[in-house]
Coordinates of all heavy atoms in Angstrom, one line a residue:
R439 N 56.3 39.2 19.4 CA 55.7 39.8 20.6 C 54.2 39.3 20.7 O 53.5 39.2 19.7 CB 55.7 41.3 20.5 CG 57.0 42.0 20.3 CD 57.8 42.0 21.6 NE 59.0 42.7 21.5 CZ 60.0 42.6 22.4 NH1 59.8 41.8 23.4 NH2 61.1 43.3 22.2
P440 N 53.8 39.1 21.9 CA 52.4 38.7 22.1 C 51.4 39.8 21.9 O 51.7 41.0 22.2 CB 52.3 38.2 23.6 CG 53.4 39.0 24.3 CD 54.5 39.2 23.2
L441 N 50.2 39.5 21.4 CA 49.1 40.5 21.3 C 47.9 40.0 22.1 O 47.6 38.8 22.0 CB 48.7 40.7 19.8 CG 49.7 41.2 18.9 CD1 49.2 41.2 17.4 CD2 50.1 42.7 19.2
G442 N 47.4 40.9 22.9 CA 46.2 40.5 23.7 C 45.1 41.5 23.5 O 45.2 42.4 22.7
S443 N 44.1 41.4 24.3 CA 42.9 42.3 24.2 C 43.3 43.8 24.5 O 42.7 44.7 24.1 CB 41.8 41.9 25.1 OG 42.3 41.8 26.5
E444 N 44.5 43.9 25.3 CA 44.9 45.3 25.6 C 45.5 46.0 24.4 O 45.8 47.2 24.4 CB 46.0 45.2 26.7 CG 47.3 44.6 26.4 CD 47.3 43.1 26.5 OE1 46.2 42.5 26.7 OE2 48.4 42.5 26.3
N445 N 45.8 45.2 23.3 CA 46.4 45.8 22.0 C 45.3 46.0 21.0 O 45.6 46.6 19.9 CB 47.5 44.9 21.4 CG 48.5 44.5 22.5 OD1 48.6 43.4 22.8 ND2 49.3 45.5 22.9
L446 N 44.1 45.5 21.2 CA 43.0 45.4 20.2 C 42.0 46.6 20.4 O 41.4 46.6 21.4 CB 42.3 44.1 20.2 CG 41.2 43.9 19.2 CD1 41.8 43.8 17.8 CD2 40.4 42.6 19.5
L447 N 41.9 47.4 19.4 CA 40.9 48.5 19.4 C 39.7 48.1 18.6 O 39.8 47.7 17.4 CB 41.5 49.8 18.8 CG 42.9 50.2 19.4 CD1 43.5 51.3 18.6 CD2 42.6 50.7 20.8
L448 N 38.5 48.1 19.2 CA 37.3 47.5 18.6 C 36.5 48.6 17.8 O 36.5 49.7 18.2 CB 36.4 46.9 19.6 CG 37.1 45.8 20.5 CD1 36.0 45.3 21.5 CD2 37.5 44.6 19.6
R449 N 36.0 48.1 16.7 CA 35.1 49.0 15.9 C 34.0 49.5 16.8 O 33.4 48.8 17.6 CB 34.5 48.2 14.8 CG 33.5 49.0 14.0 CD 32.9 48.3 12.8 NE 32.3 49.3 11.9 CZ 32.3 49.3 10.6 NH1 33.0 48.4 10.0 NH2 31.7 50.2 9.9
G450 N 33.7 50.8 16.7 CA 32.6 51.4 17.5 C 33.2 52.1 18.7 O 32.5 53.0 19.2
A451 N 34.4 51.8 19.2 CA 34.9 52.5 20.3 C 35.5 53.8 19.9 O 35.7 54.0 18.7 CB 36.0 51.6 21.0
T452 N 35.7 54.7 20.8 CA 36.2 56.1 20.5 C 37.5 56.4 21.1 O 37.7 56.1 22.3 CB 35.1 57.1 20.9 OG1 33.8 56.7 20.4 CG2 35.4 58.5 20.4
L453 N 38.4 57.1 20.4 CA 39.7 57.5 20.9 C 39.5 58.8 21.8 O 38.8 59.7 21.4 CB 40.6 57.8 19.8 CG 42.1 58.1 20.1 CD1 42.7 56.9 20.7 CD2 42.8 58.6 18.9
K454 N 40.1 58.7 23.0 CA 40.0 59.9 23.9 C 41.3 60.2 24.5 O 42.2 59.3 24.7 CB 39.0 59.5 25.1 CG 37.6 59.3 24.7 CD 36.9 60.6 24.4 CE 35.4 60.5 24.1 NZ 34.8 61.7 23.6
N455 N 41.5 61.5 24.9 CA 42.7 62.0 25.5 C 44.0 61.6 24.8 O 45.1 61.5 25.5 CB 42.8 61.5 27.0 CG 41.8 62.2 27.9 OD1 41.0 63.1 27.4 ND2 41.7 61.8 29.1
T456 N 43.9 61.3 23.5 CA 45.1 61.0 22.8 C 45.0 61.6 21.4 O 43.9 61.5 20.8 CB 45.2 59.4 22.6 OG1 45.0 58.8 23.8 CG2 46.5 59.0 21.9
S457 N 46.0 62.4 21.0 CA 45.9 63.2 19.7 C 45.6 62.3 18.5 O 44.8 62.6 17.7 CB 47.2 64.0 19.5 OG 47.4 64.8 20.6
Y458 N 46.4 61.2 18.4 CA 46.2 60.4 17.2 C 46.8 59.0 17.5 O 47.6 58.9 18.4 CB 46.8 61.0 15.9 CG 48.3 61.2 16.1 CD1 49.2 60.1 15.8 CD2 48.9 62.4 16.5 CE1 50.6 60.3 15.9 CE2 50.3 62.5 16.6 CZ 51.1 61.5 16.3 OH 52.5 61.6 16.4
I459 N 46.5 58.1 16.7 CA 47.1 56.7 16.8 C 47.2 56.2 15.4 O 46.5 56.5 14.4 CB 46.3 55.7 17.6 CG1 44.8 55.6 17.1 CG2 46.2 56.1 19.1 CD1 44.4 54.2 16.8
Y460 N 48.2 55.3 15.2 CA 48.3 54.5 14.0 C 48.0 53.0 14.4 O 48.5 52.5 15.4 CB 49.7 54.6 13.4 CG 50.0 55.9 12.8 CD1 50.8 56.8 13.5 CD2 49.5 56.3 11.5 CE1 51.1 58.1 12.9 CE2 49.8 57.5 11.0 CZ 50.6 58.4 11.7 OH 50.9 59.6 11.1
A461 N 47.2 52.4 13.5 CA 46.9 51.0 13.9 C 46.6 50.2 12.6 O 46.3 50.8 11.5 CB 45.6 50.9 14.7
V462 N 46.7 48.9 12.6 CA 46.5 48.1 11.4 C 45.2 47.3 11.5 O 44.8 46.8 12.6 CB 47.7 47.1 11.2 CG1 47.9 46.2 12.4 CG2 47.5 46.3 9.9
A463 N 44.5 47.3 10.4 CA 43.2 46.6 10.4 C 43.4 45.1 10.4 O 44.1 44.6 9.5 CB 42.4 47.0 9.1
I464 N 42.7 44.4 11.3 CA 42.8 42.9 11.3 C 41.5 42.2 11.1 O 41.4 41.1 10.6 CB 43.5 42.4 12.6 CG1 42.7 42.9 13.8 CG2 44.9 42.8 12.6 CD1 43.1 42.0 15.0
Y465 N 40.4 42.8 11.5 CA 39.0 42.2 11.3 C 38.2 43.4 10.7 O 38.1 44.5 11.2 CB 38.3 41.8 12.6 CG 39.1 40.7 13.3 CD1 39.3 40.8 14.7 CD2 39.6 39.6 12.7 CE1 39.9 39.9 15.4 CE2 40.3 38.6 13.4 CZ 40.5 38.8 14.8 OH 41.1 37.8 15.5
S466 N 37.6 43.1 9.5 CA 36.8 44.1 8.9 C 35.4 43.7 8.6 O 35.0 42.5 8.7 CB 37.5 44.4 7.5 OG 37.5 43.3 6.7
G467 N 34.5 44.7 8.4 CA 33.1 44.5 8.0 C 32.4 43.6 9.0 O 32.3 43.8 10.2
M468 N 31.7 42.5 8.4 CA 30.9 41.7 9.2 C 31.7 40.7 10.1 O 31.1 39.9 10.8 CB 29.9 40.9 8.4 CG 29.0 41.7 7.6 SD 28.1 42.9 8.6 CE 27.0 41.8 9.5
E469 N 33.1 40.8 10.0 CA 33.9 40.0 10.9 C 34.4 40.7 12.1 O 35.0 40.1 13.0 CB 35.1 39.4 10.1 CG 34.8 38.4 9.1 CD 36.0 37.8 8.4 OE1 37.1 38.3 8.5 OE2 35.8 36.7 7.9
T470 N 34.0 42.0 12.2 CA 34.4 42.7 13.5 C 33.6 42.2 14.6 O 32.5 41.6 14.5 CB 34.2 44.2 13.3 OG1 32.8 44.4 13.0 CG2 35.0 44.8 12.2
K471 N 34.2 42.4 15.8 CA 33.5 41.8 17.0 C 32.2 42.5 17.2 O 31.2 41.9 17.7 CB 34.4 42.0 18.3 CG 35.7 41.1 18.2 CD 36.5 41.3 19.5 CE 37.7 40.4 19.5 NZ 37.4 39.0 19.8
M472 N 32.1 43.8 16.9 CA 30.8 44.5 17.0 C 29.8 43.8 16.1 O 28.6 43.6 16.6 CB 31.0 45.9 16.6 CG 29.8 46.8 16.8 SD 30.3 48.5 16.3 CE 28.7 49.3 16.2
A473 N 30.1 43.5 14.9 CA 29.2 42.9 14.0 C 28.8 41.5 14.4 O 27.6 41.1 14.3 CB 29.7 42.9 12.5
L474 N 29.8 40.8 14.9 CA 29.5 39.4 15.4 C 28.5 39.4 16.6 O 27.9 38.4 16.8 CB 30.8 38.7 15.7 CG 31.7 38.4 14.5 CD1 33.0 37.8 15.0 CD2 31.0 37.4 13.6
N475 N 28.5 40.5 17.3 CA 27.5 40.6 18.4 C 26.2 41.1 18.0 O 25.3 41.3 18.8 CB 28.1 41.6 19.5 CG 29.1 40.8 20.4 OD1 28.7 40.2 21.3 ND2 30.4 41.0 20.1
Y476 N 26.0 41.3 16.7 CA 24.6 41.7 16.2 C 23.7 40.5 16.3 O 22.5 40.7 16.2 CB 24.7 42.1 14.7 CG 25.2 43.4 14.4 CD1 25.7 43.8 13.2 CD2 25.3 44.4 15.4 CE1 26.2 45.0 12.9 CE2 25.8 45.7 15.1 CZ 26.3 46.0 13.9 OH 26.8 47.2 13.6
Q477 N 24.2 39.3 16.4 CA 23.3 38.1 16.4 C 22.1 38.3 17.3 O 22.2 38.7 18.4 CB 24.1 36.9 16.8 CG 25.2 36.5 15.9 CD 26.3 35.7 16.5 OE1 26.3 35.4 17.7 NE2 27.3 35.3 15.7
S478 N 21.0 38.0 16.7 CA 19.7 38.2 17.4 C 19.5 37.2 18.5 O 20.0 36.1 18.4 CB 18.5 38.1 16.4 OG 18.6 36.8 15.8
K479 N 18.8 37.6 19.5 CA 18.5 36.8 20.6 C 17.4 35.7 20.2 O 16.7 36.0 19.3 CB 18.0 37.6 21.8 CG 18.9 38.7 22.2 CD 18.4 39.4 23.5 CE 17.2 40.3 23.2 NZ 17.6 41.5 22.6
S480 N 17.4 34.6 20.9 CA 16.4 33.6 20.6 C 15.0 34.2 20.9 O 14.8 34.9 21.9 CB 16.7 32.3 21.4 OG 16.6 32.7 22.8
Q481 N 14.1 33.8 20.1 CA 12.7 34.3 20.2 C 12.0 33.8 21.5 O 12.0 32.6 21.7 CB 11.9 33.9 19.0 CG 10.5 34.6 18.9 CD 10.6 36.1 18.6 OE1 11.6 36.5 18.0 NE2 9.7 36.8 19.1
K482 N 11.5 34.7 22.3 CA 10.8 34.2 23.5 C 9.3 34.3 23.2 O 8.9 35.3 22.6 CB 11.2 35.1 24.7 CG 12.6 35.0 25.2 CD 12.9 36.0 26.3 CE 14.3 35.9 26.8 NZ 14.6 36.8 28.0
R483 N 8.6 33.3 23.7 CA 7.1 33.3 23.5 C 6.4 33.3 24.9 O 6.9 32.6 25.8 CB 6.7 32.0 22.8 CG 7.2 32.0 21.3 CD 6.9 30.7 20.7 NE 5.5 30.3 20.6 CZ 5.1 29.1 20.8 NH1 5.9 28.1 21.0 NH2 3.8 28.8 20.7
S484 N 5.4 34.1 24.9 CA 4.7 34.3 26.2 C 3.7 33.1 26.4 O 3.3 32.4 25.5 CB 3.9 35.6 26.3 OG 2.8 35.6 25.4
A485 N 3.3 32.9 27.7 CA 2.3 31.9 28.0 C 1.0 32.2 27.3 O 0.3 31.2 26.9 CB 2.1 31.9 29.5
V486 N 0.6 33.4 27.1 CA -0.6 33.8 26.4 C -0.6 33.3 25.0 O -1.6 32.8 24.5 CB -0.9 35.3 26.5 CG1 -2.0 35.7 25.6 CG2 -1.2 35.7 28.0
E487 N 0.6 33.5 24.4 CA 0.7 33.1 22.9 C 0.5 31.6 22.8 O -0.1 31.1 21.9 CB 2.1 33.6 22.4 CG 2.2 33.5 20.9 CD 3.5 34.0 20.4 OE1 4.2 34.8 21.1 OE2 3.9 33.6 19.3
K488 N 1.1 30.9 23.8 CA 1.0 29.4 23.7 C -0.5 29.0 23.9 O -1.0 28.1 23.3 CB 1.9 28.8 24.8 CG 3.3 28.9 24.5 CD 4.2 28.5 25.7 CE 5.7 28.9 25.5 NZ 6.5 28.7 26.7
S489 N -1.2 29.7 24.9 CA -2.6 29.4 25.0 C -3.4 29.7 23.8 O -4.3 29.0 23.4 CB -3.2 30.3 26.2 OG -2.6 30.0 27.4
M490 N -3.0 30.8 23.1 CA -3.7 31.2 21.9 C -3.6 30.2 20.8 O -4.6 29.8 20.2 CB -3.1 32.5 21.4 CG -4.0 33.6 21.0 SD -3.2 35.2 21.0 CE -2.2 35.1 19.6
N491 N -2.4 29.6 20.7 CA -2.2 28.6 19.7 C -2.9 27.3 20.0 O -3.4 26.6 19.1 CB -0.7 28.3 19.5 CG 0.1 29.5 19.0 OD1 -0.5 30.3 18.3 ND2 1.4 29.6 19.2
A492 N -3.0 27.0 21.3 CA -3.8 25.8 21.7 C -5.2 26.0 21.4 O -5.9 25.1 20.9 CB -3.6 25.6 23.2
Y493 N -5.8 27.2 21.7 CA -7.2 27.4 21.4 C -7.4 27.4 19.9 O -8.5 26.9 19.4 CB -7.6 28.8 21.9 CG -7.5 29.0 23.4 CD1 -7.5 30.2 24.0 CD2 -7.5 27.9 24.2 CE1 -7.5 30.4 25.4 CE2 -7.4 28.0 25.6 CZ -7.4 29.3 26.2 OH -7.3 29.4 27.5
L494 N -6.5 27.9 19.1 CA -6.6 27.9 17.7 C -6.7 26.4 17.1 O -7.5 26.2 16.3 CB -5.3 28.6 17.1 CG -5.5 29.1 15.7 CD1 -6.5 30.3 15.6 CD2 -4.2 29.5 15.1
L495 N -5.9 25.5 17.7 CA -6.0 24.1 17.3 C -7.4 23.5 17.6 O -7.9 22.8 16.8 CB -4.9 23.3 18.0 CG -3.5 23.5 17.5 CD1 -2.5 22.8 18.4 CD2 -3.3 23.1 16.1
V496 N -7.9 23.9 18.8 CA -9.3 23.4 19.2 C -10.3 23.9 18.2 O -11.1 23.1 17.7 CB -9.6 23.9 20.6 CG1 -11.1 23.6 20.9 CG2 -8.7 23.2 21.6
Y497 N -10.2 25.2 17.8 CA -11.2 25.7 16.9 C -11.0 25.2 15.5 O -11.9 25.0 14.7 CB -11.1 27.3 16.9 CG -12.0 27.9 17.9 CD1 -11.8 27.6 19.3 CD2 -13.1 28.7 17.5 CE1 -12.6 28.2 20.2 CE2 -13.9 29.3 18.5 CZ -13.7 29.0 19.8 OH -14.5 29.5 20.8

Side-chain angles (χ1 to χ4, degrees):
R439 299 283 183 199
L441 296 174
S443 56
E444 69 278 3
N445 309 111
L446 181 69
L447 306 170
L448 301 179
R449 177 178 193 136
T452 307
L453 186 67
K454 292 286 181 186
N455 286 1
T456 311
S457 301
Y458 63 83
I459 58 126
Y460 290 101
V462 60
I464 57 160
Y465 302 132
S466 59
M468 297 309 290
E469 289 188 341
T470 59
K471 290 182 181 285
M472 182 177 168
L474 292 174
N475 276 279
Y476 284 159
Q477 293 158 358
S478 59
K479 306 186 283 287
S480 60
Q481 190 69 30
K482 294 179 179 180
R483 290 171 63 214
S484 71
V486 169
E487 193 178 338
K488 291 171 189 170
S489 297
M490 224 160 74
N491 292 339
Y493 297 163
L494 202 68
L495 286 174
V496 171
Y497 272 61

